[in-house]
Every structure is written in structure tokens, then in C-alpha cells.
Amino acid sequence: MNSKPISATISDVAAHAGVSIATVSRVLNGTTPVQAEKAERVKRAVAELNFVPRPAARTLASRKTNTIGLVFSEIRGAFFPHLLKGIESQLHEAGYELLVYSTHSDRPIKRKPIGEHNTDGLLVFTTSLDKEEIARLYQINFPIILMHETPPAGMDIPVITVENKDGAVMLVDHLITHGRRRIVFLRGPDGHEDSQWRERGYREALAAHDIPFDETLVSSGEFDQETAYQSLKKLIHNGVDFDAVFAGDDDAAIGVYRALKEANRLIPDDVAVVGFDDVDFAGYISPPLTTVRAPIEEVGREAVRQLLSLLNGEQAQSLVLKRTELVIRESCGCLKHS
Amino acid sequence: MNSKPISATISDVAAHAGVSIATVSRVLNGTTPVQAEKAERVKRAVAELNFVPRPAARTLASRKTNTIGLVFSEIRGAFFPHLLKGIESQLHEAGYELLVYSTHSDRPIKRKPIGEHNTDGLLVFTTSLDKEEIARLYQINFPIILMHETPPAGMDIPVITVENKDGAVMLVDHLITHGRRRIVFLRGPDGHEDSQWRERGYREALAAHDIPFDETLVSSGEFDQETAYQSLKKLIHNGVDFDAVFAGDDDAAIGVYRALKEANRLIPDDVAVVGFDDVDFAGYISPPLTTVRAPIEEVGREAVRQLLSLLNGEQAQSLVLKRTELVIRESCGCLKHS
DNA sequence: ATATACTTTGAAAACGCTTTCAGAAAGCGT
DNA sequence: ACGCTTTCTGAAAGCGTTTTCAAAGTATAT
């Protein structure tokens, strides 16, 4: 009967190998050269006792958690698995752990759930952390990377995002080039950077073709299927005249499709529809959705890379913009129906 | 100039409040009654110093990590965000942290990445952890919940999954009832429980209608769009005769749609198609997909609930089967085309 | 008033590592 | 052979909590 309730500790290994715990630590971490023969004994002991160092003890002693945190506001959205995959793979490759946190607005935040005590650095997606908390972390010089959100004024926090404005310009320009004039734009959630840039692109493309901006064509889509559906329904009900819809993102485009079909308006004959993101299903809805491809998995990977730079004391790039790419399918009407 | 480099510790709080660190710990955790006035002083000190206990120190002293691990093999799949959301919300509500790990087969597992040293319990999705590791954890009585996978023989590990077989029966029965006889089945990844149960349902439904099982109608779909596409293409190329396809899951159904369209076979007129899961886009592809709704977010929540029971020393239910529900749309051909 | 039983508290010992410090051993030049 | 470096190595001091233990203070019972 084993008296030791829990698994081996560094002392067990040390005893078993006939060395001090300091030496064990050294061969484990390779911090200091150790006599070959002793190192061998230690390794054997580690294997035999099936020793795994407790991260908690390590963290306490070294003041490094070896963990980074991912914070986001809402898991919704078809792009999420790609983002997570990019982050996860890149991060674990570098030997870090991933702590995941979603900041529902409805959840009462008792004790600070994630921060310096928890992690060595943070990956923050859109507006999931409030300005004050970001400011606080910035003050104490805590490594942060923002994804799809620019930092509050005066703070030099690295950002990684996609060419939202360019993408929107491509989309809207394409629509206009093919004869559309009254283009609805469905905004994303309030304060969402992606949406703001996309709107800017929308306006620029309009301006470039001397089409005046019309406030009545802009409504709320929230990057959400249901909201987009409701908004478009209301526009139709109000008799607003339009011949195209830039849905804000692909999820919202789904809602647009639904509203249009209910109103018996043909896509793209009566109304052209375009989305943003190029999520998995975009090419398979009917008609296939013209959209802009956002390299979201790459955003995740890049964010991790930059964060790792910060953790290694190197400088991070203050802004990385991933290129977007127009994906023309059938919903914009410029390809023949199949 | 502050000499203290890092934030306050329990000693600072104790000094500030004029009590011992033991007392501070007690009011923080409510483990032992503390004189009201002193407790008040401690709380004030905590607030003033902005004290947050270091989890590492807590873990080391209490031998509880207060975090649970989620292990899965592949983030792919439209259902993933729902699963994660269910887990995340339920877990954080209970005050636990979430450590996320994906076990790519290609990643060389150096040191055990996740286990007793890391977490208080594990949520394991499908075959992401190999039998030996599960066995080892089971031996040492480590809390585990399996999702969508039954435990190795002889181990009484709680499982939570959905009514895969019933769902498949409903689907195939529906197809047969509406006149389909030669129904292709696309298997999921090798050894995937969900797929095995769905196949069993497929066979039972066939048998119930005295239709002999035909091996040539079964192929590999891998729950993956591309694989399904290739498999179906090959079936068509080989001249296999069929009037319906049970794609295994919705992602595979997408691939089936593509192959069918390329071959100019009409859905559902020439071939009926059904999926499984009812992911977000299922109702919006063309034609809308008939499928079975799997309450995946609820699976996540339930898994957490069961794990928490285990952690509280209570008994967990050894099998929870979430009900599935047939969702009839247009791809099965029993509704009129819109 | 005295003995007994709770309550509340602080000192100090873990928890399992990393890291500093200084000493021992080994290498080297002359 | 004798100092002087250069390598290795172990003892011990943390890291920041929780928890045990016993003491001190209070209340209750007789």
C-alpha cells in the first residue's frame, strides 16, 4: 500500500536519484549545466516515478504562470472555431497554456477573473474588456494584444485585425460597378471596430462614385442573423427603396436572405446581397454568398506570435493588418445563375 | 516611488488591517467566523489595496486548482461554438476556470499537458484522450466526464451524449416512409461513437422496413465537407444506384450537396439528403436541410453539472442522453418546394 | 465565584518548486 | 606542486496562500 497519496514530488525524484532538489530542477529546466552522469540518473528517476512538476509550485516560485488568457465577449459567430484554432495551435506549440474567458455582460464580475495573477499575457478580442481594465493592465505594463479593436487613446497596445475598410470598399465598389445604387448597410454591434471600419469603407466607396450617403439605408444588423432579419423586414415594411444589401457580416446575411425570401424579392435579381468573413457555409447557402474573406485563423496565430514577442521582452508590431480578399459568388448578381 | 514591484499580498492586507494573515484568509474564504468589526477592516483593506489572491499560492496550499480542463481533438465543426458556450457559461458561473486543450495527433506530446497537476477535473470530448491516459486517470480516481464517447470496458466514467441512434432511426425511417429505398450512409471518423450509433440507427431503420443492408451504399464522410464530397463523387462515378443520402452530419451534407449539384442530380427530386446536428446554417442552405437537432450547448452545460457533482464528492449520473429531434425541411422531399 | 465549554485569533508549518549563495571539485598555467 | 579560475552542487531562503494547533478571551452552568 502506497502511503504517498499524491504523485511524486521533486524531493522524491531527488532522493531516488541521489542528488539535491536543486539539481533536479536544473536538469528539468536546463538552467545550469549538470554532470552528465547525474543528469542521466535524474532523468531515469523522473521517468520511473512518473514525475510531473506542479505548475502551481512553479508559478509561485518563478512568478510566471506559463499561461495566457483569451478574453472575448460572445462565442457566437461562425468564425469563432477558426480564431480559437489559430490561437490554440500556435500557443501550445510554444508551450503555453490557454485560459479561456467570455465576458457576458450579464454575468456579475465578482473578483477579477483574469489578469496578472492568472496569466502572463492576454489576448483580447473586440470589446470584451472595458477601457478601465485595459488601462490598468497597460499601466502595470502587462502584455496585451488586441484583436479587432484599437486601443484607447494614448495607449500603445499592439493590435491585430483585418483590412475591414478595404474589404468593404471592394464589396461596395463591386456592387456599384454592377449597377446598384441604393445599397443598404447593416451595422454591427455598437462600438464594434470591425463594423465602424466597414461602414467607413461603405461610405468611401459611395463617395468615390458620387453617390450621396443616405442615412435611411443604414440600419442595425448586430452581426446577428435574427437582428438582421428584423431590421430588413422593417426596412421593407417601411417601403424603403433599395437594390442591394451589405449585411455587415455573413451571419447577418443569413437573416437578410430570410427576410428577402419572405418578401418574395429575388436574390440577386431584385436585391444583391453581400456579407463579410467568408465563413464555412457562405459558399453553400442559396444563392452562394458574395463576401470578403477574412483570414481569421491567421489573425489568431499572428496575435499569439506578437504576444510571445512581448513575453520574450521583444518589441511587438503595433499594428498588423491581415489582407482581405473579395470572393465573388452569385448573390451579387454579376455571375450567371446556376 | 513604490518599492513593491508587484501587487499586494495577503501580508500587506493583514498589516493594513491590523490582523494576522490567517484572519485575512478566513474572511476571504469564510472558512471560520471572524469578529464583525475585524472582518470589516479586512474587507476595507482588501478594497483599498486592490488585493487579489494569487491562484498559484492558493492551489499550492489547498491542493485544489479551481480549474477544469476541456480536451478535444479538433475544433472543426459548426457545433463547436455551441459546445464551448455551454461549458464556459456553466463553468464560470460555478467559479471555476477553463483550460482548453486540443490534442492534434501531429503535435508531439512532451510532458503530459493536462491532468491532475493542472486541473481538478476533465471534460473529454470524443476520442481526444487515448485509452491509457483515461485508464490512468480513472485509476487514481480523477474526476472525468466523457462527452460523446463511452468509456473503455470496465470503467465507470460518466458519459453525456445525445440520442444518436434514435435520431438516425427517425431520419432513415422518415426517408423510407417517403419512398426512398437505396439510402447511402456516410460514416464519421473511425471509431467515432456518434457515427457508430448513427450507423446502428441506420441499420435498425432499414431492418424495420425489411430493406437489406447493402455495404456498397456505405462510404466514408468523416463528418467533413471535403471528404464527403469526394466519397459521394466516387459513388456516383462508380455508378452506384441510390435515391437518398444520410450524410452522417450537417458538415458532410454540405459536401454531398456539392457533389450532387456537380452531377446535376436534383435535391430532393433525384436524391433526398439528410444531415445530423442542425447547425446554424442548416436551414439556410439550398434546399434547406432536413436533419436532427442535437442540443449541443445543453450537452456542454450538463457535462459541467455532472463534473461539478463529482468535484463535490457527490455521485454523477453514469449516462445522460440528451433527446434529439427531427427537423424536417426540404432536402428530404416530403415538403413542397418553395 | 468557579469550573467548563465555546469562539475567535495568531504563530507557524506546510504546499512543491526556483533561485541565490557559497563551498567543493576539477582544470590550468607555471 | 601550488595558486587561481571555472564548473558543479547542495543548503536554504523564498514565492503567497491555507490550515493546524494551541492559546486567549467570553460565555454558560453550577
Side-chain angles (χ1 to χ4, degrees), chain B residues 64-76:
Chain B
K64 296 189 74 284
T65 64
N66 202 40
T67 103
I68 79 103
L70 168 62
V71 190
F72 51 88
S73 45
E74 182 68 63
I75 306 190
R76 209 179 53 192

Side-chain angles (χ1 to χ4, degrees), chain B residues 33-141:
Chain B
V34 166
Q35 198 182 320
E37 186 252 347
K38 280 188 183 172
E40 198 42 54
R41 286 209 317 262
V42 169
K43 280 178 192 160
R44 200 163 23 241
V46 166
E48 281 173 22
L49 299 178
N50 217 304
F51 170 68
V52 179
R54 306 292 173 289
R58 274 189 136 133
T59 297
L60 190 56
S62 66
R63 302 154 147 295
K64 296 189 74 284
T65 64
N66 202 40
T67 103
I68 79 103
L70 168 62
V71 190
F72 51 88
S73 45
E74 182 68 63
I75 306 190
R76 209 179 53 192
F79 65 89
F80 190 81
H82 297 279
L83 213 217
L84 185 59
K85 185 176 179 182
I87 293 174
E88 200 273 344
S89 61
Q90 192 80 18
L91 201 58
H92 283 152
E93 210 163 273
Y96 279 84
E97 303 297 330
L98 209 213
L99 212 48
V100 165
Y101 222 97
S102 154
T103 57
H104 291 304
S105 51
D106 55 300
R107 184 191 304 148
I109 297 179
K110 316 177 178 190
R111 208 157 294 289
K112 293 290 176 205
I114 208 164
E116 337 84 85
H117 51 284
N118 245 356
T119 54
D120 293 340
L122 244 43
L123 254 23
V124 178
F125 188 72
T126 66
T127 54
S128 49
L129 224 51
D130 59 52
K131 303 282 183 210
E132 290 115 61
E133 179 63 2
I134 290 188
R136 191 185 68 78
L137 292 169
Y138 180 71
Q139 304 292 1
I140 64 174
N141 211 6

Side-chain angles (χ1 to χ4, degrees), chain A residues 74-75 104 106-107, chain B residues 68 70 79-94 98 123 125 145-148 159-162 294-309 320 322:
Chain A
E74 183 69 61
I75 306 187
H104 292 302
D106 56 301
R107 185 192 302 147
Chain B
I68 79 103
L70 168 62
F79 65 89
F80 190 81
H82 297 279
L83 213 217
L84 185 59
K85 185 176 179 182
I87 293 174
E88 200 273 344
S89 61
Q90 192 80 18
L91 201 58
H92 283 152
E93 210 163 273
L98 209 213
L123 254 23
F125 188 72
I145 301 288
L146 263 24
M147 298 158 86
H148 291 231
V159 173
I160 139 110
T161 183
V162 301
I296 188 74
E297 183 173 336
E298 178 57 19
V299 166
R301 257 186 266 112
E302 184 66 41
V304 171
R305 268 185 230 119
Q306 298 293 332
L307 187 55
L308 292 177
S309 294
V320 179
K322 291 291 173 188

Side-chain angles (χ1 to χ4, degrees), chain A residues 6-7 51-57 59-60 63 74-75 77 80-81 84-85 88-89 92 97-102 104 107 111 113 116-118 225 254 258 281 284-286, chain B residues 6-7 51-57 59-60 63 74-75 77 80-81 84-85 88-89 92 97-102 104 107 111 113 116-118 225 254 258 281 284-286:
Chain A
I6 322 188
S7 46
F51 170 68
V52 179
R54 306 293 172 287
T59 297
L60 192 55
R63 302 155 145 296
E74 183 69 61
I75 306 187
F80 190 81
L84 185 59
K85 184 176 178 180
E88 199 273 346
S89 61
H92 283 150
E97 302 298 330
L98 209 214
L99 212 48
V100 166
Y101 223 97
S102 155
H104 292 302
R107 185 192 302 147
R111 209 158 293 289
E116 336 86 85
H117 52 284
N118 245 357
Q225 194 192 115
I254 288 278
R258 183 145 59 102
F281 60 74
Y284 298 99
I285 57 177
S286 172
Chain B
I6 323 188
S7 45
F51 170 68
V52 179
R54 306 292 173 289
T59 297
L60 190 56
R63 302 154 147 295
E74 182 68 63
I75 306 190
F80 190 81
L84 185 59
K85 185 176 179 182
E88 200 273 344
S89 61
H92 283 152
E97 303 297 330
L98 209 213
L99 212 48
V100 165
Y101 222 97
S102 154
H104 291 304
R107 184 191 304 148
R111 208 157 294 289
E116 337 84 85
H117 51 284
N118 245 356
Q225 194 191 117
I254 288 279
R258 182 146 59 103
F281 59 74
Y284 298 99
I285 58 179
S286 174

Side-chain angles (χ1 to χ4, degrees), chain B residues 265-287:
Chain B
R265 309 248 184 136
L266 286 177
I267 308 173
D269 311 67
D270 299 333
V271 179
V273 179
V274 297
F276 204 114
D277 282 350
D278 194 27
V279 298
D280 297 331
F281 59 74
Y284 298 99
I285 58 179
S286 174

